[in-house]
Amino acid sequence: MNTGQTLFSIGALLILSLTILKMNNFILVNDSVMQDSKLGLLAVSLATSLIEEASKKAFDANTVANGVADCSSLTNYPLGRNAGEIKDSSATFDDFDDYNGFHHRYTHLPSAEFDVYSEVYYVEAANPEVKVGKRTWHKKMDITVTSESMEDTIRMSTIYSYWHFR
């Protein structure tokens, strides 16, 4: 093998090495994106489950058994759990605003641990993005899902309005 052939072989090995490094980098980036997407979907699922669970409950502690006709009959601030409702057990909640200040840590999922936080407050129908300090027919729930394994934080919201039909 002469010097030209040796240089040609070294150059070919260099190009092959660079190509392998580039392919490994693509595979690593794709795996990272796939993992983050999978965790993001799981976080959205957890937030949606909490919204569905809370939406199945009564609008207010005062509407669990009977309807109300005036906003002044609804629960005033601070919203949250009533007597007999356990902080970490949403199964004991009987109305939507019991989820105010709710926090649950999911440790049993195989892919990651998630923290789910929720806040509930009154909003006006004309401006549902702004928290109001008075009782209205509309309550908004903001849910935040975080995980040390995710790059992003998932935030979802829902508005629950009171409708009473006779």
Side-chain angles (χ1 to χ4, degrees):
M1 186 182 280
N2 64 23
T3 307
Q5 290 173 328
T6 303
L7 286 175
F8 183 72
S9 298
I10 290 172
L13 286 174
L14 181 65
I15 290 172
L16 180 63
S17 298
L18 290 175
T19 303
I20 290 172
L21 281 175
K22 191 74 169 172
M23 289 302 295
N24 282 340
N25 189 30
F26 282 139
I27 291 170
L28 191 63
V29 168
N30 282 342
D31 283 348
S32 176
V33 169
M34 284 180 16
Q35 181 70 14
D36 204 44
S37 296
K38 179 181 171 183
L39 294 173
L41 286 172
L42 192 54
V44 168
S45 177
L46 292 172
T48 303
S49 295
L50 189 65
I51 288 171
E52 289 177 0
E53 178 184 314
S55 298
K56 290 178 184 173
K57 309 241 169 133
F59 179 77
D60 193 87
N62 297 333
T63 64
V64 171
N66 298 313
V68 296
D70 188 7
C71 285
S72 62
S73 299
L74 298 174
T75 302
N76 201 1
Y77 284 109
L79 299 176
R81 295 175 311 278
N82 301 318
E85 297 171 339
I86 302 168
K87 176 182 175 186
D88 298 330
S89 176
S90 62
T92 62
F93 297 171
D94 64 351
D95 65 282
F96 189 76
D97 62 58
D98 291 341
Y99 290 87
N100 186 37
F102 178 72
H103 169 247
H104 185 73
R105 184 173 182 90
Y106 289 89
T107 58
H108 63 282
L109 300 174
S111 53
E113 293 183 352
F114 292 91
D115 288 304
V116 179
Y117 302 91
S118 67
E119 178 186 14
V120 179
Y121 50 91
Y122 288 107
V123 294
E124 293 280 358
N127 192 4
E129 297 300 321
V130 178
K131 179 179 180 179
V132 296
K134 63 180 183 179
R135 293 173 272 190
T136 68
W137 298 117
H138 313 283
K139 292 178 182 174
K140 185 173 184 178
M141 173 188 267
D142 292 332
I143 299 173
T144 304
V145 182
T146 62
S147 175
E148 293 176 4
S149 303
M150 289 190 326
E151 291 182 19
D152 296 327
T153 298
I154 302 296
R155 290 188 175 84
M156 295 180 71
S157 296
T158 188
I159 295 176
Y160 194 40
S161 299
Y162 180 69
W163 301 98
H164 180 68
F165 299 100
R166 292 184 215 166

